Amino acid sequence: MALRAVLFDVFGTLLDVHSVASRAESLFPGHGQHLSQIWRDKQIEYTRIRTLSNRYVPFTQVTEDALRWAGESLGLDIDKAAVGLLMHAYTQLAPFPDVVPALDRLRAADVTLGVLSNGDPGLLEDAMHGAQIGEYFDLLLSADAVHAYKTAAAVYELGPRNLNHPAAEILFVSSNGWDAIGAQWYGYVGFWVNRNGAPAERLHTQTATGSSLDAAADFFLRSNLT
């Protein structure tokens, strides 16, 4: 079955969530990278807990709560001003170097492109604008529409519902192995962008895998030639 469209995860896949580390380092010398990592881990943990417990709050709130916890865990004095600066930095995340070249290739092939993100609409639009990549996408799909987070089936359902293609005709691209697998469990063709050479998830499901977004573009374009 030919692939008709591509959906991308955003935070960690298109945008480098750890590009906030430089701002964190300027505020808390010697702690920037560690703060960034704990912040990200707690953010993902909170999305899962809230979805499992049906206690949804928008991703912006999850992100701020995770930041405050991360700061406290390191004994840092993250006051209101620091929170404001770091949350603003989260709207200005840098795209990975492989993003624009891959998107250019797909756009040149007239491929329908979208994102499917945990980010709430305001944060998502600000981040895409800040990274100057918003114009590449035909649609921005937010988990906020269903008040749950990935890997809830209701989130992945947003793709087929809005693209008017079955999930099996959509490539879902994520740098999180668990997200690519969750999408494939739902019915998408999953692609894991494994930039850091991480081991495969032990979830008894294999997805297409490559080390860059360019590999994902290759996979999509090649699949439509066979």
Side-chain angles (χ1 to χ4, degrees):
M1 186 178 294
L3 294 171
R4 305 296 184 185
V6 187
L7 288 178
F8 295 89
D9 172 58
V10 174
F11 298 104
T13 300
L14 298 177
L15 307 182
D16 182 2
V17 296
H18 296 300
S19 61
V20 298
S22 60
R23 169 62 78 176
E25 182 66 21
S26 70
L27 294 170
F28 306 104
H31 297 284
Q33 195 63 49
H34 198 191
L35 177 62
S36 177
Q37 188 61 59
I38 296 174
W39 183 8
R40 174 62 169 171
D41 291 345
K42 184 58 68 170
Q43 177 196 55
I44 292 174
E45 180 185 339
Y46 280 172
T47 64
R48 291 169 175 168
I49 292 171
R50 286 191 170 279
T51 296
L52 286 169
S53 303
N54 196 27
R55 297 283 182 174
Y56 179 84
V57 297
F59 192 68
T60 298
Q61 184 64 59
V62 168
T63 301
E64 181 175 330
D65 292 341
L67 170 59
R68 290 182 181 277
W69 189 94
E72 289 178 14
S73 75
L74 293 174
L76 304 176
D77 180 21
I78 297 195
D79 57 15
K80 184 177 180 179
V83 168
L85 287 169
L86 288 169
M87 288 298 294
H88 177 70
Y90 215 86
T91 71
Q92 305 297 311
L93 299 174
F96 287 99
D98 57 357
V99 170
V100 169
L103 294 178
D104 280 337
R105 291 179 61 206
L106 292 167
R107 251 307 167 220
D110 200 27
V111 178
T112 298
L113 303 178
V115 304
L116 177 55
S117 173
N118 278 340
D120 48 276
L123 175 60
L124 190 56
E125 290 177 11
D126 286 347
M128 300 295 280
H129 177 75
Q132 299 182 356
I133 59 172
E135 70 273 11
Y136 284 99
F137 298 98
D138 301 293
L139 69 172
L140 304 181
L141 302 178
S142 167
D144 186 70
V146 295
H147 283 196
Y149 292 110
K150 295 184 284 187
T151 58
V155 180
Y156 294 123
E157 184 182 0
L158 292 169
R161 185 194 306 171
N162 285 275
L163 286 166
N164 295 316
H165 294 301
E169 295 181 3
I170 303 169
L171 181 67
F172 182 84
V173 180
S174 179
S175 65
N176 300 299
W178 54 266
D179 189 18
I181 288 171
Q184 190 152 304
W185 282 345
Y186 178 79
Y188 290 91
V189 176
F191 192 99
W192 177 30
V193 179
N194 184 8
R195 291 188 178 97
N196 299 319
E201 301 287 355
R202 295 294 186 257
L203 292 172
H204 307 284
T205 301
Q206 291 185 338
T207 66
T209 304
S211 61
S212 69
L213 221 63
D214 201 51
D218 283 341
F219 178 86
F220 181 92
L221 296 171
R222 189 169 58 246
S223 73
N224 287 349
L225 294 175
T226 58

